[in-house]
Amino acid sequence: MTLSISTQVFDNVDDLPNEKWGLGFYGKSLDERGRCAIESIADRSIKSIEIDHRFSNESQIYSINGSEVGSPVKHLQSLIKKNSKNKRVLLDATTLGLPEIAAICLSIKQLPDLECALTILYIEPHDYKRKSGEARKFHLSTDRKFSNIIGLTLDTTQLDPGTVIAFLGFEPERLAHFEEQFPATGWDGMAFFGVPAFKAGWESDAYTANVPTLSKRDANIAWDVNFCSANSVSAAYFELMKKAEGRDLNERPFLFLPIGTKPHGIAAVLFCCEHSYGRSGITYDHPVRIEKRTEQIGKSHLYHIAF
């Protein structure tokens, strides 16, 4: 079965459909937007579960409802099987990070006999926290550390050069750190910006922030600039499928760097779920998101995924 994505958009979070999903997954709340998302998950799930991911002594630790688990995909599959009567899973991408989102997507993808449907909730911010006195610079995360995402690893040392696909946002140091640490040579690059952005002018903020790194003459990677809608998982996924058309990913793999909008990151996760096994993967800097990083609430999205 070919992966399909459909989308519903709501101007207000109160307009979300009053349906019931069997399982709901959410992360930690950092601001008003997160609290609103968690309430939406709790109201619409028969059972809601908190998932957390963190680094500890170079190891990646996953916790489910406060208890550490060794293999997140296996534990999540067990939960899904126990609650499979409803066959509907709701995931909050507002509060969950990409490692947790990837674990849930892989869990469902690897349980095809259950025919479980996945819906992803994402609530846009009205605005992001900016650095004091800096109208175009943002303060969103700290303590970044590049590593893999468990289940979506690509060992670039064992592969011929391919293409790095970077989804870019407001924090230019994240791309700069990747270029400093990426050891491979011979790879080309595609940089994606969210156009149209969540709000008019944000695309300019993101482009202005990253263009110095993208245009460095001595960079390891020559970047080709691309655009797709900032809040559309389906548009980003469709662009990736177009880029992969006629390409042998076994010979020229994709390595994703999802450091832009959450919908773009979700598209990268979904693509890797469909094209994994050494043909595509994700490198990620696992940022610690700061408290009160966003202000107020924007539009709400439901992305319906069928694997």
Side-chain angles (χ1 to χ4, degrees), residues 102-135:
I104 296 167
C105 290
L106 284 168
S107 300
I108 295 173
K109 169 69 177 175
Q110 295 172 10
L111 289 173
D113 293 341
L114 282 184
E115 298 181 348
C116 187
L118 173 65
T119 298
I120 300 176
L121 168 66
Y122 179 68
I123 301 176
E124 293 181 21
H126 176 74
D127 203 356
Y128 284 104
K129 186 173 183 178
R130 299 168 191 261
K131 292 183 177 180
S132 179
E134 300 278 0

Side-chain angles (χ1 to χ4, degrees), residues 39-107:
E39 289 175 2
S40 297
I41 294 292
D43 290 343
R44 292 165 176 82
S45 304
I46 297 172
K47 183 176 183 178
S48 55
I49 296 170
E50 180 181 8
I51 305 180
D52 183 49
H53 169 276
R54 60 185 173 84
F55 268 94
S56 177
N57 297 324
E58 305 299 319
S59 297
Q60 297 190 47
I61 307 296
Y62 288 81
S63 299
I64 296 178
N65 279 343
S67 299
E68 292 184 7
V69 298
S71 174
V73 171
K74 288 183 178 179
H75 279 78
L76 289 168
Q77 286 179 332
S78 177
L79 284 170
I80 292 169
K81 287 178 181 178
K82 289 178 181 177
N83 297 272
S84 62
K85 187 176 181 179
N86 181 280
K87 291 190 176 182
R88 303 177 76 206
V89 172
L90 180 61
L91 174 167
D92 174 45
T94 318
T95 55
L96 289 169
L98 286 185
E100 302 98 292
I101 292 171
I104 296 167
C105 290
L106 284 168
S107 300

